[in-house]
Amino acid sequence: MARMTTGRVPLIAGNWKLNLDHLQAIAFVQKLAWSLKDARLDFDEVEVAVFPPYTDLRSVQTLIAADKLPLKFGAQNLSEHDSGAYTGEISGAFLKALDCDFVLVGHSERRMLNGEGDDDVAAKTAAAIRHGLVPVICVGESAEDLEKHGQSAVPVAQLKAALAGITGAVDIVVAYEPVWAIGSGQAATPEQAEQVAGQLRQVIADAVGQDTADSTRILYGGSVKSGNIAGFMRQPNVDGALVGGASLDIAEFSKIIRFQNHVGV
Ligand code: PEP
């Protein structure tokens, strides 16, 4: 069930990064599903998604389908191209054929380590949409950006660029992830996250319309733990979390997913 005030179903997403091979992925997803079932999680109240490495996706797909697990999944990246001479790349068409629901686009690690710029992120966003995948568009400022330009200038510019070629209603998710908060143990405050999320929602409204802005989930990411998820989920413009490190610990990730139990949101 969607949150009464916003109509948006919260999304808690786990980005595994370069962790867990396909055998570990099977064991992990099974245990996570059992843990959430034991805790009587109402999957109508919160959507749960995992983002394993490419080589795990077929195993995760098969497990989720065979055991009818109420979990969603996606890839951590895709090519902007559909097919052709692009050695090492993976097409959105292949991800769709594996029943992926989502795909991360523009994660700060790919922007920094793989040199992905705003144009690449825009092309990948378009490719995801073209193949019926929901892009989780990641934006966020570095510590240096924060000092030079304040908190929202860079994420706002990144999101405008990612949506530049999109017209009309689209199914997207946006993840606001300050780079300085990722893996640092130092999360943004809920108020900071809310302030930027509000501005990102306005960017969506200006780019593709108010209806899409109202229905789009905006996640916060960066050192999310069970101890701080409550504050984020109380913010009207924050509709979930993109979780890195803590998503690899089943007990901790399960507590984050069950934020409603322990925070009374
Ligand atoms: C991430 O990499 O998307 C992330 C949010 O990482 P962490 O939760 O470990 O800060």
Side-chain angles (χ1 to χ4, degrees), residues 134-208:
V134 177
V136 178
I137 305 167
C138 303
V139 296
E141 80 289 359
S142 66
E144 200 188 335
D145 296 330
L146 179 64
E147 206 173 299
K148 277 198 197 149
H149 311 291
Q151 194 158 20
S152 51
V154 167
V156 159
Q158 287 176 338
L159 185 57
K160 278 187 188 163
L163 297 179
I166 314 282
T167 47
V170 273
D171 196 359
I172 57 172
V173 171
V174 174
Y176 168 52
E177 299 206 302
V179 180
W180 49 268
I182 294 181
S184 67
Q186 199 210 326
T189 65
E191 294 72 25
Q192 286 174 315
E194 170 61 17
Q195 204 253 332
V196 179
Q199 292 194 47
L200 294 175
R201 200 173 298 287
Q202 190 55 50
V203 170
I204 303 168
D206 294 343
V208 287

Side-chain angles (χ1 to χ4, degrees), residues 15 17 107 109 177 181-183 221-223 242-245:
N15 173 15
K17 310 192 187 196
H107 190 279
E109 284 155 15
E177 299 206 302
I182 294 181
S223 296
L242 181 55
V243 186

Side-chain angles (χ1 to χ4, degrees), residues 205-233:
D206 294 343
V208 287
Q210 193 61 50
D211 287 352
T212 297
D214 290 342
S215 61
T216 296
R217 271 95 53 98
I218 299 181
L219 316 182
Y220 167 76
S223 296
V224 168
K225 306 265 182 298
S226 61
N228 62 18
I229 183 71
F232 295 111
M233 295 310 295

